[in-house]
Amino acid sequence: MQDNATEVTAAGIARLAGVGRAAVSNWRRRHRDFPKPVGGTETSPSFALAEVEAWLRAQGKLAEVPLRERVWQQLTGHPEGPAVALVHVGCVLLLVQERPTVWLDVGAGSDERLAAKLPGVLDGVIAARFGCEPVKVSDPVNASDSVNTATPVHTPSGPQLLPSAPLLRGAVELAGKLGARQTFEFLLGRYLDAHSRQYTPTPVELAGLMAELAGPALTVLDPACGTGALLRAVEARPHQTLYAQDGAPDLVALTALRLALHTRAAVRGAVGDTLRGEAYPELRADAVLCHPPFNERNWGHDELAYDARWEYGFPARNESELAWVQHALARLADGGTAVLLMPPAAASRRSGRRIRADLLRRGALRAVLALPVGAAPPYNLPLHLWVLRRPGRTPVTPEVLLVDTGSFAGEARGGPDWQAIRDVALDTWRAFASDGRLAERPGLARSVPVIELLDDDVDLAPARHLPPPAAADGAEQLAAVRDGLAATLRLVTGLTPPPAVPAPPARWPLTTIGELARGGALLLRTGAVPGTPGGFAGTTHARVPVLTDHDVLAGSPPSGTLPESDEEAVLTEPGDIVVPVLGGGSVARVVDAATAGAALGRNLVLLRPDATALDAWFLAGFLRGTANNRQASSYASTATRLDVRRLQLPRLPLDEQRRYGARFRALDEFEQALRQAGRLGEQLLRGMYDGLTDGTVDPH
């Protein structure tokens, strides 16, 4: 069966051919034989993937569609939608991982034979991995209304699988290169990235921290599992069982498949509103991990007034997070640990003070850890982690741990310093859990007597109860910052460019980046993190830093992190030029030894010039010209996008390029010194204001 039903948008065609969307629009206007739209809308048409591939190959614009891209386009163009297609792929990848020889038999022959035989063999795999009788689904739209909610994955029927056959064969072929788990992670990551507004992600680093705070456990529950990031972070142990529940059927199925491919633990999944209809009322788990939805007013306040879970008080309508806290405690075994991500308001809202007080009195709330801004969505809030223990028969501890890691926020949007956050959080929690108290660490952590918190507000915000850093250390640090600023300002003075010498307007012959790339004078690649295919490097196994577009704009070191997968990434080398394509700024950064080896982030284009034909600094300097950027940019109502291939530079001999390059490099050094002076100046100002207002700096 051909995949003519698979459709691809103009953006997908651009990705296939490695060009910008403007090039695709030009092809449609200039070539009468360009494939006609088969769907979509007038402003956003879609085309048959097979026809597009054939046309690109006939035009010499495409040697072969990369396997990753072909599979992704087949998934996104699936007639039942990408979520259904991804579940089909996950089921088959689980079969390949669990029973590879069975797939060899089922996959042989026609697509019709594949669709007829596959449901029967999937039944056994689904039953074995998810501990339930598989359910045949003839109507996927209404499946959640008619099946047992404890069934996380439904066996697709033969007619449902037939349109997926080319996709399934491609996914299995890709799994032969990457592995079944890595293939699913790649496709799931791209799917989530393409639908980012529909899901609230839990960053990998945060999920790992929450799992470590909970400690090793044999039974773990996530009652708002989303895409399974928290359960995926749990340390594997023999005879382990992972329980997941969520109100979205597609998320539960994807999470169950993701966990089954990731771990040998037993996986149990359920679809349903956890607060209104919990799937595991008899469960007593060793650990509960939860990133609940925030600020939900329709959580069941009216119909759940007499629910047995409200041991610590009936939550107010605007305190849905405290309902999740009590649900987590109700599902813990005695001595079990729950870790929940909470909005900062939950620690201080007056409507929740009685429940907070009872949590403290009975020893259920053990710690509140404040995270830096940018740790998780919503990124503009310093979220909290609450660590709770089911009191049981253990004696009540008269103190609570309060930790503030807000000082570890990153300067760029790439995120906070997770290693520092992890070190402080785990060190303080483990010391406190062992001794029941913690020696005061000014500005970072202290254990607070419960009686001290039981006032009219019962405010648990750590920053309100921690002493400031030692005054002596603060004064010494300010002195060091001032000395650094003075040295940097002297450097800026020395690097200030000499007076500009007038010259007549130049009339150089010009070329474009696109022409240079076609002629082999440079290589051009786009960012491949996360979820985009291929790059200069081969498959990447190690965790490497990611150079984001915000790092390039700010002139800061790589601040992003590469997801844990085996998908390829574009790795930078010394002498590469990195250009952001969004924002309308005239920026081009030459990669130095300190930045080399970082993976290229999204919304960046990397240029790797042939050193025998192009000087890197000459190239980067001319790319920064304001007029050059203006003529190469396209403008929408909300954003400006740069088409790097249209950027121009003069055709000059290499010696002349190097003369310009030396001047551009000197300007870059001047710019870096100015930025460092600005950062130090802001740090000194902030420290002086803080010192004067808290009395640690003498005003004289």
Side-chain angles (χ1 to χ4, degrees):
M1 177 179 177
Q2 298 299 314
D3 59 346
N4 291 325
T6 300
E7 298 178 10
V8 61
T9 64
I13 297 173
R15 292 172 67 91
L16 285 170
V19 299
R21 291 186 62 177
V24 178
S25 299
N26 288 334
W27 293 343
R28 292 185 63 198
R29 288 194 300 269
R30 292 168 52 194
H31 298 277
R32 294 185 177 180
D33 61 339
F34 191 87
K36 303 301 181 186
V38 297
T41 64
E42 185 176 347
T43 57
S44 181
S46 59
F47 307 82
L49 175 61
E51 294 180 8
V52 168
E53 179 187 352
W55 186 87
L56 290 172
R57 188 173 287 113
Q59 294 289 325
K61 302 180 185 299
L62 181 69
E64 182 179 354
V65 178
L67 180 59
R68 288 169 178 257
E69 192 62 34
R70 166 174 279 281
V71 173
W72 172 248
Q73 295 297 346
Q74 289 171 329
L75 189 145
T76 57
H78 193 280
E80 296 295 335
V84 171
L86 193 52
V87 172
H88 292 181
V89 169
C91 290
V92 170
L93 290 176
L94 187 59
L95 171 64
V96 170
Q97 180 170 285
E98 300 283 317
R99 304 175 186 178
T101 57
V102 174
W103 165 259
L104 294 177
D105 173 61
V106 173
S110 67
D111 290 349
E112 288 74 11
R113 179 180 182 272
L114 170 68
K117 297 193 68 173
L118 193 53
V121 297
L122 289 179
D123 281 352
V125 174
I126 290 174
R129 289 300 278 122
F130 304 121
C132 59
E133 286 299 320
V135 176
K136 297 290 194 306
V137 181
S138 57
D139 182 4
V141 175
N142 299 316
S144 61
D145 298 331
S146 57
V147 300
N148 188 334
T149 57
T151 305
V153 181
H154 312 305
T155 305
S157 65
Q160 288 176 316
L161 287 171
L162 187 57
S164 301
L167 166 64
L168 301 179
R169 295 186 190 278
V172 172
E173 183 182 352
L174 186 58
K177 299 176 181 293
L178 304 180
R181 177 182 64 83
Q182 294 86 344
T183 297
F184 190 74
E185 286 292 325
F186 162 68
L187 294 173
L188 178 63
R190 272 195 122 169
Y191 170 75
L192 296 176
D193 191 46
H195 301 81
S196 57
R197 294 187 179 182
Q198 300 178 24
Y199 307 107
T200 302
T202 305
V204 173
E205 298 85 357
L206 176 58
L209 174 60
M210 293 174 67
E212 288 192 85
L213 287 169
L218 291 181
T219 54
V220 187
L221 167 68
D222 184 348
C225 66
T227 59
L230 292 175
L231 291 176
R232 188 173 177 268
V234 172
E235 179 186 355
R237 297 174 67 83
H239 313 298
Q240 191 175 57
T241 305
L242 305 177
Y243 294 86
Q245 183 172 354
D246 199 280
D250 57 338
L251 283 184
V252 175
L254 293 175
T255 291
L257 290 165
R258 185 184 198 188
L259 294 174
L261 286 163
H262 177 73
T263 177
R264 297 307 306 169
V267 177
R268 305 289 179 263
V271 179
D273 184 326
T274 297
L275 294 181
R276 287 187 172 92
E278 55 178 329
Y280 313 108
E282 306 303 321
L283 177 65
R284 295 298 179 267
D286 299 323
V288 176
L289 301 174
C290 187
H291 178 175
F294 296 162
N295 302 319
E296 278 202 340
R297 300 186 71 85
N298 185 28
W299 58 268
H301 177 271
D302 294 337
E303 59 262 50
L304 297 175
Y306 300 103
D307 197 290
R309 288 171 292 180
W310 315 143
E311 293 184 55
Y312 303 88
F314 181 43
R317 189 181 300 276
N318 66 332
E319 292 287 357
S320 63
E321 296 87 6
L322 294 182
W324 286 98
V325 164
Q326 295 191 76
H327 173 81
L329 285 167
R331 294 298 146 254
L332 281 176
D334 289 348
T337 303
V339 183
L340 284 84
L341 184 66
M342 302 284 282
S348 57
R349 278 190 298 240
R350 290 190 61 81
S351 55
R353 65 188 186 278
R354 292 184 180 178
I355 294 177
R356 293 195 299 271
D358 210 31
L359 289 169
L360 292 172
R361 289 191 192 97
R362 297 172 60 180
L365 182 59
R366 305 303 306 119
V368 177
L369 293 84
L371 298 169
V373 170
Y379 291 106
N380 61 328
L381 292 178
L383 302 179
H384 291 175
L385 290 178
W386 286 24
V387 183
L388 304 109
R389 284 261 175 90
R390 180 77 182 171
R393 302 179 183 84
T394 58
V396 175
T397 307
E399 297 195 3
V400 174
L401 176 66
L402 300 180
V403 182
D404 187 359
T405 63
S407 59
F408 301 120
E411 292 186 6
R413 282 197 195 177
D417 185 346
W418 279 108
Q419 187 59 50
I421 296 169
R422 180 182 176 277
D423 290 344
V424 169
L426 294 179
D427 287 350
T428 54
W429 167 246
R430 288 166 180 167
F432 173 77
S434 174
D435 301 335
R437 58 185 305 129
L438 181 79
E440 187 176 280
R441 302 184 185 183
L444 280 181
R446 66 177 286 223
S447 56
V448 182
V450 167
I451 191 66
E452 187 177 319
L453 299 171
L454 295 177
D455 54 16
D456 288 341
D457 295 322
V458 197
D459 192 332
L460 306 180
R464 295 193 173 104
H465 302 280
L466 297 180
D473 293 343
E476 290 177 5
Q477 184 178 12
L478 285 177
V481 171
R482 186 180 184 281
D483 292 343
L485 175 60
T488 304
L489 289 174
R490 289 193 294 270
L491 179 62
V492 168
T493 301
L495 293 173
T496 301
V501 178
R507 294 289 184 264
W508 296 304
L510 299 176
T511 186
T512 66
I513 294 298
E515 291 173 350
L516 291 170
R518 288 192 293 273
L522 58 80
L523 294 174
L524 184 150
R525 291 292 185 272
T526 56
V529 177
T532 55
F536 296 117
T539 300
T540 303
H541 295 272
R543 298 297 299 274
V544 297
V546 174
L547 185 68
T548 70
D549 54 343
H550 306 291
D551 299 331
V552 176
L553 293 170
S556 56
S559 61
T561 55
L562 190 66
E564 275 191 50
S565 73
D566 286 350
E567 63 180 277
E568 298 170 4
V570 180
L571 302 184
T572 59
E573 294 181 2
D576 291 344
I577 295 94
V578 181
V579 183
V581 297
L582 295 181
S586 302
V587 178
R589 176 170 173 177
V590 179
V591 175
D592 57 16
T595 307
L600 192 68
R602 299 185 63 206
N603 301 321
L604 291 175
V605 171
L606 183 143
L607 307 175
R608 182 166 295 166
D610 180 350
T612 63
L614 287 171
D615 180 80
W617 286 100
F618 160 80
L619 177 59
F622 272 94
L623 296 187
R624 293 191 60 172
T626 301
N628 198 6
N629 275 259
R630 187 180 298 122
Q631 64 83 27
S633 296
S634 58
Y635 303 92
S637 58
T638 58
T640 302
R641 187 173 187 89
L642 178 69
D643 185 348
V644 175
R645 291 174 178 269
R646 292 171 55 188
L647 288 169
Q648 300 174 337
L649 68 157
R651 296 181 180 271
L652 296 179
L654 191 57
D655 288 344
E656 187 70 2
Q657 291 181 33
R658 288 171 177 161
R659 192 165 71 89
Y660 273 96
R663 188 66 182 271
F664 287 136
R665 186 167 191 165
L667 289 175
D668 181 79
E669 292 175 355
F670 175 62
E671 182 179 29
Q672 296 303 320
L674 280 175
R675 283 177 167 166
Q676 177 65 6
R679 285 191 287 264
L680 290 172
E682 289 179 3
Q683 188 177 350
L684 181 61
L685 278 172
R686 186 170 59 249
M688 289 297 295
Y689 273 112
D690 290 346
L692 287 167
T693 55
D694 65 19
T696 59
V697 171
D698 192 323
H700 296 92

